[in-house]
Amino acid sequence: MSLRTPLGQVLGLGSAKDGTSHFFGQRVSGVGLLLLGLWFACSLATLPGFEHADALAFIGAPLNGVLLLLLVVALAYHSYLGVQVVIEDYVHG
């Protein structure tokens, strides 16, 4: 049992001040993943075939290439934020 107040126990442990940007970053990247994921699923459904040449033609289109790059970046960022939360909450020591 400690005689220190709750405020005294947490003083000097650092500042949290990062939660709001982290929260909005996860939400915005989640919405982006939802929209880009729907686009990707619809695009795969409308491909004429699944041969290598068809995939290269699909990725070679400028709009598709940019949207695929955005999908990969949003997925990596969203994953980074999620793993960071898991490590902060569940990994001790």
Side-chain angles (χ1 to χ4, degrees), residues 3-92:
L3 297 176
R4 295 174 60 183
T5 65
L7 178 61
Q9 292 174 356
V10 298
L11 284 177
L13 294 179
S15 173
K17 297 182 185 171
D18 189 39
T20 304
S21 64
H22 196 274
F23 176 83
F24 283 121
Q26 260 193 327
R27 297 317 179 264
V28 169
S29 64
V31 169
L33 281 174
L34 176 70
L35 297 174
L36 290 168
L38 287 173
W39 163 81
F40 186 64
C42 292
S43 296
L44 282 182
T46 60
L47 276 178
F50 291 106
E51 286 80 29
H52 186 260
D54 295 330
L56 285 180
F58 174 74
I59 295 171
L63 179 63
N64 293 338
V66 169
L67 289 177
L68 280 172
L69 182 64
L70 286 175
L71 178 64
V72 169
V73 169
L75 184 63
Y77 181 65
H78 191 77
S79 300
Y80 165 75
L81 292 176
V83 169
Q84 181 182 1
V85 168
V86 169
I87 289 172
E88 288 172 354
D89 289 348
Y90 298 109
V91 176
H92 301 288

